Amino acid sequence: EMSSSNPAPEKRRVGRPRKRLSAEPNGEPREQILSAAAALFAARGIGEVSMLEIAEQSGLGQSSLYYWYRRKELIVAELLQQVNRLPLAFARQLETEGDGADVQLYRLVQFDVRTVCEFPLEITEVHRLSRREKSAFDTYWKERRELTATLERLITRGIDAGLFRTVDAYLCALTIIAEDESVQNWFLRDPRPKARGLKHESDPLAA
């Protein structure tokens, strides 16, 4: 029996094929999962969407989805990051621009309302979910407390400068955040077309 001095090359292993093309075929799996989940959650609500549906919508197998996210709550928690982080970053930007506390507060509230209204998930539903899955939402609540503290400091500066009436700055900050989030409830249920919608400005909005 003759033997070859050049053994046949080992076959290259091919990764598991995707079930179907996703809306973003060139995107990273994590981004595709988040995009697909956001669309499903917005259309039907978090509780009505299964992990299997998210996998199918993102063009991945269930095992691939579970590699990235073991539970649906972890997907929600990651989607939720922008709700606090964008206003916090905008608040830091405002502090460098030198406007009075009244102008900064107006612009920050306007920015926060737009951020919440453009978010694909209902904040009230997310809060209900977070009470059942506390560990998954630790970062969200930490950043929300940071946003509350940022507003409290801003209100305190306005009081000290004589721009605002004397109030409980912490309670006022909580009220502002609660009101911002409640606007989303009415915005999502507004029967008027959303085509003209809320254009999220990357540049600061003048008061």
Side-chain angles (χ1 to χ4, degrees):
E1 180 178 351
M2 296 181 63
S3 62
S4 171
S5 59
N6 297 317
E10 183 180 346
K11 288 186 178 180
R12 183 180 179 182
R13 298 182 64 183
V14 179
R16 180 178 299 181
R18 295 184 177 182
K19 289 189 173 182
R20 63 178 180 82
L21 291 177
S22 69
E24 299 177 28
N26 296 321
E28 293 295 326
R30 182 187 296 272
E31 295 172 358
Q32 292 176 226
I33 292 167
L34 293 175
S35 177
L40 289 169
F41 293 154
R44 293 168 44 204
I46 298 169
E48 300 302 317
V49 176
S50 68
M51 289 289 276
L52 175 59
E53 289 173 308
I54 295 172
E56 291 176 343
Q57 182 73 12
S58 59
L60 301 171
Q62 261 191 295
S63 59
S64 298
L65 173 63
Y66 280 103
Y67 171 80
W68 292 99
Y69 299 98
R70 294 186 178 276
R71 305 195 312 277
K72 179 170 61 175
E73 292 75 18
L74 298 176
I75 299 176
V76 176
E78 186 156 343
L79 286 170
L80 198 57
Q81 290 178 358
Q82 63 172 315
V83 172
N84 293 322
R85 292 183 183 179
L86 288 176
L88 280 170
F90 188 65
R92 288 191 287 270
Q93 177 184 331
L94 289 175
E95 289 178 354
T96 69
E97 295 180 3
D99 289 324
D102 51 348
V103 175
Q104 288 188 39
L105 182 61
Y106 174 87
R107 293 171 65 183
L108 181 55
V109 168
Q110 186 181 51
F111 186 94
D112 190 41
V113 167
R114 292 187 176 200
T115 299
V116 172
C117 286
E118 290 176 345
F119 186 61
L121 314 184
E122 288 196 48
I123 294 297
T124 53
E125 186 177 8
V126 170
H127 286 174
R128 286 195 295 270
L129 182 64
S130 72
R131 286 195 289 270
R132 300 197 301 269
E133 297 283 344
K134 293 182 179 180
S135 61
F137 293 87
D138 281 346
T139 299
Y140 166 75
W141 288 112
K142 178 182 177 181
E143 292 174 343
R144 193 175 190 272
R145 288 191 294 271
E146 185 180 348
L147 181 58
T148 303
T150 298
L151 279 166
E152 182 182 8
R153 290 193 299 271
L154 183 54
I155 293 165
T156 299
R157 289 205 307 270
I159 294 171
D160 292 343
L163 298 169
F164 303 147
R165 295 172 57 185
T166 301
V167 296
D168 183 320
Y170 174 69
L171 182 59
C172 187
L174 285 179
T175 302
I176 288 173
I177 290 180
E179 290 294 333
D180 289 357
E181 292 171 349
S182 70
V183 171
Q184 187 208 44
N185 178 66
W186 294 104
F187 179 75
L188 293 177
R189 287 160 178 75
D190 190 334
R192 292 174 294 179
K194 297 292 191 300
R196 67 176 187 271
L198 292 174
K199 182 181 178 183
H200 194 89
E201 302 287 351
S202 58
D203 296 327
L205 297 171

